[in-house]
Amino acid sequence: MAFVEPTELRARGVLLTPLTLAHEAGLRAAAQDGELWTIRVTSVPEPENTRAYIEQALAMREAGSRMPFAVVDEASGQLLGTSSYHDIVPALKRVEIGYTWYARSVQRSHVNTTCKLLLLTHAFETLGAAVVGWRTDNYNFASQRAIERLGAKKDGVIRHHAPRRDGTVRDTVLYSMLAGEWPEAKAQLLYLLNQPR
């Protein structure tokens, strides 16, 4: 049995379900909500590359290095974006959360916090992960703030680490949360979700 198996996670009207090719049209529409592929520091696919993006995610799932999810609004069935476990290292009980993006219309809503609560709860309380990691572009300040808001600790920066779509090379900021830090982080996430928006 693999360390991370396909599963569905749901809370507060948000469903995380394993990503499939059937999600292509919905994922394309989510990316078009805000023309997200034009943001230099993200890896959101251009509309014509949505299928290839999903195929790559599924190939990584087959290789055991990624578990991609479609993020769905349960009430409407609308696809809101995507997130994944990736860089899965069973021997270390380590997963990372990434490849995350949402339609502009649901950014700064409860969706991201809910997804992170679901993914972190599953990682620490079901999978028994010892650590969950994140990585982001050094210029993606919004992503860094969101990761820090979860209670993750900044581990450092890998300089000249990965290519961007525009041909430049990014530095990558690394974060992590240990299993022992999860109870306090969970309490804070629940507190944030219960605040009026």
Side-chain angles (χ1 to χ4, degrees):
M1 186 166 102
F3 180 50
V4 180
E5 296 280 353
T7 190
E8 287 193 339
L9 306 171
R10 56 174 41 93
R12 299 174 187 258
V14 177
L15 167 67
L16 291 174
T17 189
L19 185 67
T20 69
L21 288 171
H23 294 117
E24 181 182 355
L27 204 62
R28 183 183 303 113
Q32 287 172 325
D33 178 355
E35 296 185 351
L36 302 179
W37 63 90
T38 64
I39 302 170
R40 179 174 174 259
V41 294
T42 69
S43 59
V44 179
E46 298 87 348
E48 65 273 13
N49 294 329
T50 304
R51 185 176 186 84
Y53 180 89
I54 295 172
E55 287 172 343
Q56 180 186 28
L58 296 178
M60 292 171 76
R61 184 177 77 188
E62 286 302 309
S65 65
R66 182 172 171 189
M67 181 58 65
F69 294 93
V71 179
V72 180
D73 177 82
E74 284 201 287
S76 67
Q78 178 185 357
L79 206 151
L80 306 175
T82 184
S83 193
S84 296
Y85 289 130
H86 66 93
D87 285 79
I88 298 165
V89 186
L92 299 177
K93 294 187 175 179
R94 178 184 176 90
V95 298
E96 294 188 29
I97 296 173
Y99 297 94
T100 301
W101 54 269
Y102 306 103
R104 177 150 301 154
S105 59
V106 297
Q107 292 175 11
R108 299 187 172 277
S109 72
H110 75 289
V111 172
N112 183 52
T113 307
T114 300
C115 287
K116 293 307 183 290
L117 178 65
L118 287 167
L119 290 167
L120 285 164
T121 301
H122 186 70
F124 286 124
E125 298 178 17
T126 301
L127 302 179
V131 61
V132 173
W134 293 263
R135 57 182 78 185
T136 189
D137 190 294
N138 62 307
Y139 283 115
N140 194 340
F141 302 116
S143 177
Q144 291 173 48
R145 284 190 302 272
I147 294 167
E148 290 167 5
R149 187 170 167 251
L150 298 171
K153 306 292 187 258
K154 185 175 179 180
D155 294 325
V157 179
I158 303 176
R159 299 178 67 201
H160 201 78
H161 180 243
R164 295 187 187 101
R165 73 175 77 224
D166 66 2
T168 60
V169 179
R170 82 178 198 182
D171 294 349
T172 299
V173 185
L174 302 176
Y175 291 88
S176 66
M177 181 183 294
L178 301 175
E181 297 164 340
W182 169 234
E184 178 62 23
K186 181 179 183 180
Q188 178 64 9
L189 283 174
L190 289 168
Y191 171 79
L192 291 171
L193 279 168
N194 290 322
Q195 296 307 299
R197 292 195 177 256

